[in-house]
């Protein structure tokens, strides 16, 4: 009970910090807006009509998953910054489990990412993505899963990188390639073998595919966008979540305490 | 009574470091006392505190804090500790009260509520009281970003005392404080000790600050140089001496030699410094026939003693 309260308190702290940071608030909405609006719109204009594919919907679902996944992963990596500012010292001397700290942090960053998800949904409506209320509701739990999964991936990175500088430099190299290997804008169902392998080891791939699986559930063009069933993605993500969390936390704590 | 902190043969070597940051340190701290760890930059003070507060794992050594083995029961130890880090560790975007609230929930004192008004009355009373004592009651709903360095320190103290710790660690707490805030801090720490019987464990590189402590442990390059009360440390570090001189220096030297005194030329005043060993100085001086032109006893201050050690090693 105490651990849950503590985890909630840490999550609440992250949400508060996000809501009190106007620059961060604004910037989190600009990118998805640009991606969906400009990329989705121009793909649609140039290819969509001939191929009969709804690029707007494809890019929307891709960007939604990518934004949430990346946002929670990046939020977790900010624990490094916290440590350098010494805030985490205050948290790490508290009489709570290290897993509570990490899980609280994941929950907090997921809340932050979900707030952004709501913003993206609003843009999607403005940009006239073909989205029903039923789909929007179904997307909520899916996006929550994506956030938690992104958070766990962040923990794995956290356990691997030691300084904020390293994180800032390496993070884009871990994230940007996944835009393509995970198929945020592009189809990945017929990749050459080498790229296919890269794609399969990109965690973001499963986040994107889960989101699409839920969004396209009742659509006729599902086969062109979705790779495997949401249940299959969920099972794999749950397994990876556990592995990322345990390995990442153990490595992070070991490095923290060895100095 | 069992010491509240018991450290024996503590060694800490950082990863990839060539030498031990803390190199076989042992000391004990009595419950309710004021203990000062004194040492220059890089002596190993923060490292020692980090090990004692469970954030760093020792390379070797036995440690007991507040009745628990540090390595086997870190959680039980953490519950008993309050810590003020060398670098302030506050969330600048949150209000002062929110920082305290988060702490109180992490320590399992109160359930989390999203607003101050919704927190239990006990919590509000405690925060109000501590903030008043430290003179920051009016600012508790302001973001910490707007606080001065002194106010931030005070806020950290309020926060560290919310869970009524048995031991309060302060790592160079007066850094960045003006003289008035310093004085307030000392007065307050004294009150905390007297009221709650809280043990205060302080690190500093200011001798004046250490001098107020019940016991001082002087460390340098990871090793204990001296340990004891202010007087013991003084006695231990530098001997009292009597500076004497005579018209006929050579005769005086010969006579001192003959009397078996321990003496050396006084580089500052000329003449000789004669070591004071217990009461032996009086018979010695009485036995000297050479007419003396100066007899001056000298009791080094702790500061001189301290500087002396740093120079020696
Ligand atoms: N994370 C670290 N990794 C490697 N070496 C370290 C680390 N932290 C401290 N050291 C080294 O350990 C020694 C002791 O450092 P420590 O911070 O404990 O000193 P200190 O007494 O607190 O000094 P100060 O008065 O400057 O705060 C120093 O030589 C320092 O360079
Ligand atoms: Mg230090």
């Amino acid at each position: 009970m105490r651990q849950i309260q503590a985890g909630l308190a840490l999550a609440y702290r992250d949400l508060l910090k996000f809501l009190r940071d106007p620059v961060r608030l604004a910037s989190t909405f600009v990118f998805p807006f640009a991606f969906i609006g400009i990329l989705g719109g121009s793909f649609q204009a140039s290819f969509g009509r001939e191929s009969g594919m709804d690029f707007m919907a494809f890019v929307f679902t891709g960007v939604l998953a990518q934004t949430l996944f990346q946002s929670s992963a990046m939020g977790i990596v900010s624990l490094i910054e916290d440590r350098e500012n010494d805030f985490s010292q205050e948290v790490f001397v508290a009489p709570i489990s290290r897993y509570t700290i990490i899980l609280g942090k994941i929950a907090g960053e997921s809340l932050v990412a979900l707030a952004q998800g709501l913003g993206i949904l609003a843009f999607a409506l403005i940009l006239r993505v073909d989205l029903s209320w039923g789909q929007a509701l179904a997307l909520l739990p899916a996006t929550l899963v994506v956030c938690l999964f992104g958070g766990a991936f962040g923990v794995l990175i956290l356990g691997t990188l030691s300084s904020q500088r390293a994180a800032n430099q390496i993070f884009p190299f871990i994230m940007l390639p996944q835009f393509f290997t995970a198929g945020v804008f592009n189809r990945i169902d017929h990749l050459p073998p080498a790229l296919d392998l890269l794609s399969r080891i990109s965690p973001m791939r499963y986040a994107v595919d889960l989101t699409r699986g839920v969004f396209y559930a009742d659509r006729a063009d599902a086969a062109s966008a979705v790779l495997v069933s949401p249940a299959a993605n969920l099972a794999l993500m749950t397994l990876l979540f556990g592995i990322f969390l345990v390995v990442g936390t153990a490595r992070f704590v070991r490095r923290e305490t060895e100095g | 009574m069992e010491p509240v902190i018991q450290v024996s043969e503590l060694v800490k070597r950082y990863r990839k470091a060539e030498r031990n940051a803390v190199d076989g340190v042992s000391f004990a701290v009595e419950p309710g006392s004021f203990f000062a760890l004194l040492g220059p930059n890089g002596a190993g003070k923060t490292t020692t505190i980090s090990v004692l507060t469970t954030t760093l794992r020792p390379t070797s050594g036995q440690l007991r804090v507040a009745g628990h083995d540090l390595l086997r029961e870190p959680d039980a130890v953490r519950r008993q500790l309050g810590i003020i880090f060398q670098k302030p560790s506050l969330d600048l975007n949150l209000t002062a009260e929110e920082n305290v609230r988060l702490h109180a929930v992490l320590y399992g004192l109160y359930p989390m509520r999203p607003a101050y008004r919704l927190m239990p009355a006990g919590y509000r009373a405690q925060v109000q009281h501590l903030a008043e004592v430290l003179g920051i009651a009016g600012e508790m709903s302001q973001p910490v970003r707007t606080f001065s360095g002194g106010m931030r320190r005070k806020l950290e103290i309020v926060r560290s005392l919310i869970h009524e710790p048995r031991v309060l660690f302060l790592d160079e707490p007066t850094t960045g404080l003006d003289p008035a805030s310093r004085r307030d801090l000392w007065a307050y720490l004294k009150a905390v000790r007297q009221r709650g019987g809280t043990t205060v464990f302080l690190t500093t590189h200011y001798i004046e600050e250490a001098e107020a402590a019940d016991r001082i442990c002087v460390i340098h390059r990871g090793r204990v140089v001296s340990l004891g009360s202010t007087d013991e440390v003084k006695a231990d570090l530098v001997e009292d001496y009597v500076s004497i001189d005579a018209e006929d220096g050579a005769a005086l030297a010969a006579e001192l030699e003959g009397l078996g005194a321990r003496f050396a030329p006084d580089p500052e005043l000329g003449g000789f410094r004669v070591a004071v060993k217990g009461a032996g100085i009086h018979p010695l001086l009485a036995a000297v026939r050479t007419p003396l032109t100066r007899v001056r006893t000298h009791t080094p201050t702790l500061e001189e003693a301290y500087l002396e050690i740093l120079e020696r090693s």
Side-chain angles (χ1 to χ4, degrees), chain B residues 14 19 21 40-47 86 172 205:
Chain B
Y14 286 100
R19 54 181 205 89
N41 290 129
K45 303 183 295 296
T46 299
T47 306
Q86 186 165 1
E172 298 185 24
H205 43 228

Side-chain angles (χ1 to χ4, degrees), chain A residues 2 5 9 12-13 16-17 20 84-87 89-90 93-96 98 255-259, chain B residues 12 15 53 55-57 78-79 83 85 87 89 91 93 98 102-103 106-108 111-112 114 159:
Chain A
R2 199 166 57 85
Q5 281 283 344
Y12 178 64
R13 159 186 173 246
L16 268 188
K17 277 173 67 168
R20 299 232 175 111
E84 285 172 10
N85 297 333
D86 262 7
F87 177 76
Q89 273 200 296
E90 148 75 9
V93 293
I96 49 174
R98 315 294 91 173
R255 219 201 15 248
E256 283 291 282
T257 54
E258 278 182 3
Chain B
K12 174 66 195 180
R15 274 193 309 172
T53 56
T55 50
L56 268 187
R57 179 176 283 276
R78 286 189 195 114
R79 227 178 293 257
I83 304 139
F85 300 102
K87 285 192 278 173
S89 61
D91 245 324
N93 283 323
E98 281 163 348
L102 184 68
H103 178 93
L106 289 183
Y107 279 75
M112 187 67 195
R159 183 177 67 179

Side-chain angles (χ1 to χ4, degrees), chain A residues 79-86 162-165, chain B residues 87:
Chain A
L79 256 181
I80 299 180
E81 191 186 349
D82 272 355
R83 177 187 54 197
E84 285 172 10
N85 297 333
D86 262 7
S162 53
S163 71
Q164 186 65 34
R165 240 186 73 232
Chain B
K87 285 192 278 173

Side-chain angles (χ1 to χ4, degrees), chain B residues 79-100:
Chain B
R79 227 178 293 257
Q80 309 285 348
L81 306 183
I83 304 139
I84 293 171
F85 300 102
Q86 186 165 1
K87 285 192 278 173
S89 61
L90 294 160
D91 245 324
L92 301 183
N93 283 323
L94 303 188
T95 70
E97 185 276 322
E98 281 163 348
N99 269 281
V100 176

